[in-house]
């Protein structure tokens, strides 16, 4: 938004119009002064014409996406915070941060989680690397007390579902 002060503002505005400058929101603030809005790319042309004609041109304010982004340069902490949030929003959904165990009765959840950690399900593991079939087979080979195991990921949580082997019946002791 610019303010043009001239002895003959109508002729000055016609000169701008002849150069192909589009002026918006035109307001006459007094008989010698007009305020109007031009595109950012036209500001240099308007300045050149005003200087050539001997008129006073005052920059009032700027608005729009370009200027808003330009003002962000003066706020490095805000930019750093926005960049950090962006990077985290790209990184966090692709990682495992929590492990849940369900379906176990006699085998402790903590023990299953420790064994799963050795099989590739650990804090910060890539969700893509947690291949359910591979982890399941490795977990079953490490823990003979499990009959079945499945691994799913939901958000940043790995859910290990297990089914324990039935306890072998103990033969009665005759004495």
């Amino acid at each position: 938004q610019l303010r043009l002060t001239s002895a003959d503002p109508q002729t000055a505005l016609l000169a701008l119009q002849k150069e192909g400058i589009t002026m918006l929101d035109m307001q006459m603030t007094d008989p010698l002064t007009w305020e109007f809005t031009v595109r950012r790319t036209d500001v240099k042309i308007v300045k050149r014409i005003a200087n050539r004609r001997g008129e006073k041109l005052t920059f009032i304010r700027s608005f729009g996406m370009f200027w808003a982004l330009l003002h962000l340069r003066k706020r490095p902490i805000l930019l750093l915070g926005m960049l950090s949030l962006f990077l985290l929003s790209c990184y966090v959904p692709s990682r495992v941060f929590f492990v849940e165990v369900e379906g176990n009765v006699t085998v402790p959840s903590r023990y299953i989680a420790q064994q799963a950690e050795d099989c590739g399900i650990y804090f910060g593991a890539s969700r893509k690397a947690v291949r359910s079939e591979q982890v399941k087979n490795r977990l079953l080979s490490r823990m003979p007390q499990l009959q079945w195991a499945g691994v799913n990921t939901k958000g940043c949580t790995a859910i290990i579902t297990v089914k324990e082997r039935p306890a072998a019946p103990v033969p009665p002791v005759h004495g």
Side-chain angles (χ1 to χ4, degrees), residues 74-94:
K74 298 174 185 173
R75 306 182 95 181
I77 302 300
L78 178 63
L79 276 176
L80 185 63
M82 289 170 52
L83 179 65
S84 298
L85 281 174
F86 174 73
L87 293 175
L88 282 173
S89 67
C90 292
Y91 177 76
V92 168
S94 68

Side-chain angles (χ1 to χ4, degrees), residues 8 18 24 26 36 92 104 142:
D8 186 10
K18 284 181 184 176
L24 305 170
M26 295 181 66
F36 52 90
V92 168
N104 57 322
R142 290 175 149 256

Side-chain angles (χ1 to χ4, degrees), residues 28-41:
M28 183 170 67
T29 55
D30 63 52
L32 300 178
T33 307
W34 281 80
E35 290 183 2
F36 52 90
T37 304
V38 296
R39 290 190 311 264
R40 175 179 54 89
T41 55

Side-chain angles (χ1 to χ4, degrees), residues 2-170:
L2 303 172
R3 179 180 297 130
L4 178 71
T5 304
S6 172
D8 186 10
Q10 281 73 21
T11 307
L13 294 174
L14 281 173
L16 293 175
Q17 192 175 18
K18 284 181 184 176
E19 287 291 325
I21 305 296
T22 303
M23 294 171 280
L24 305 170
D25 304 325
M26 295 181 66
Q27 292 180 330
M28 183 170 67
T29 55
D30 63 52
L32 300 178
T33 307
W34 281 80
E35 290 183 2
F36 52 90
T37 304
V38 296
R39 290 190 311 264
R40 175 179 54 89
T41 55
D42 291 339
V43 172
K44 285 183 180 180
I45 300 169
V46 173
K47 281 182 183 179
R48 183 175 43 84
I49 293 170
N51 286 337
R52 187 177 58 204
R53 294 179 47 88
E55 291 144 352
K56 182 180 176 188
L57 187 68
T58 309
F59 183 81
I60 298 173
R61 68 183 173 127
S62 57
F63 45 88
M65 184 63 83
F66 174 81
W67 298 107
L69 292 174
L70 194 62
H71 287 293
L72 280 177
R73 285 188 336 199
K74 298 174 185 173
R75 306 182 95 181
I77 302 300
L78 178 63
L79 276 176
L80 185 63
M82 289 170 52
L83 179 65
S84 298
L85 281 174
F86 174 73
L87 293 175
L88 282 173
S89 67
C90 292
Y91 177 76
V92 168
S94 68
R95 300 292 169 183
V96 173
F97 292 114
F98 305 101
V99 177
E100 288 181 14
V101 179
E102 55 186 37
N104 57 322
V105 178
T106 58
V107 181
S109 296
R110 188 178 187 110
Y111 179 67
I112 295 172
Q114 286 174 344
Q115 295 300 315
E117 187 173 329
D118 294 337
C119 296
I121 302 175
Y122 51 88
F123 182 84
S126 171
R127 284 179 63 193
K128 290 180 182 178
V130 177
R131 299 281 181 233
S132 181
E133 194 66 30
Q134 294 170 347
V135 172
K136 179 188 84 160
N137 292 337
R138 290 171 66 191
L139 196 58
L140 289 174
S141 68
R142 290 175 149 256
M143 300 182 69
Q145 57 270 57
L146 298 181
Q147 180 179 352
W148 180 86
V151 179
N152 289 314
T153 55
K154 185 175 184 181
C156 55
T157 304
I159 302 167
I160 303 170
T161 308
V162 297
K163 183 176 180 186
E164 298 175 352
R165 288 192 189 279
V170 178

